[in-house]
Amino acid sequence: MRTLLSILALFSVMTLLAQGKNETKEYYLTKSKNQKTVGYVLAGVGGALIVSGIIVGNGDNNNDPNELDFGPNFDVGLWLVGGGIASGLASIPFFISSGNNARKAATIGINHQKIKLPQLNGQETVFQPAISLKIRL
């Protein structure tokens, strides 16, 4: 009885995982746009953190200019610059996956295919909607 229940539980999980996604052109385009937006936000925040870290870390020190003293807020500026670099690096995978999804959206499309139908006095060209899928080899 236990084995039967465990097999049924396994099959129910497998059927849930095997259900297809809504993989249409609009789905991939929306996903690409959202990932690109997240990438731009992370890159912008990273740039802003780097600039603010440089400004904060290069604060006013009233010491001798020949002395090697970075100022009282150098450690805070260093943390801000490090966070900016990390944020900028975190944006790279979002741009890469955005490009991949945009390519997937470009391969799925709906076009109109010409079909020639024979008639009594010749041929008639009719356009039939078709789903195209480009496979790169």
Side-chain angles (χ1 to χ4, degrees):
M1 184 69 176
R2 274 189 190 164
T3 57
L4 180 65
L5 289 176
S6 61
I7 290 173
L8 286 175
L10 180 67
F11 282 133
S12 65
V13 170
M14 286 175 49
T15 56
L16 287 175
L17 294 177
Q19 290 179 353
K21 298 177 193 172
N22 188 13
E23 296 177 351
T24 60
K25 184 174 185 174
E26 290 80 21
Y27 169 76
Y28 284 119
L29 286 176
T30 305
K31 193 171 179 181
S32 171
K33 181 183 170 192
N34 291 341
Q35 288 171 338
K36 194 177 289 189
T37 302
V38 169
Y40 280 132
V41 167
L42 284 174
V45 166
L49 282 175
I50 289 173
V51 169
S52 63
I54 290 172
I55 291 171
V56 168
N58 205 13
D60 224 8
N61 56 354
N62 296 325
N63 298 334
D64 187 18
N66 295 329
E67 221 176 279
L68 187 59
D69 187 19
F70 294 114
N73 293 329
F74 180 72
D75 56 344
V76 174
L78 192 62
W79 279 104
L80 287 173
V81 169
I85 290 172
S87 177
L89 290 175
S91 70
I92 293 171
F94 286 100
F95 285 122
I96 291 172
S97 60
S98 170
N100 289 340
N101 285 326
R103 272 192 294 284
K104 284 181 187 177
T107 60
I108 299 173
I110 296 176
N111 58 5
H112 296 285
Q113 184 176 357
K114 289 183 184 179
I115 296 177
K116 293 184 180 181
L117 296 176
Q119 298 290 328
L120 291 176
N121 54 0
Q123 291 182 347
E124 180 183 357
T125 303
V126 178
F127 292 101
Q128 178 181 7
I131 295 176
S132 66
L133 177 63
K134 297 179 186 175
I135 300 173
R136 293 183 288 156
L137 298 177

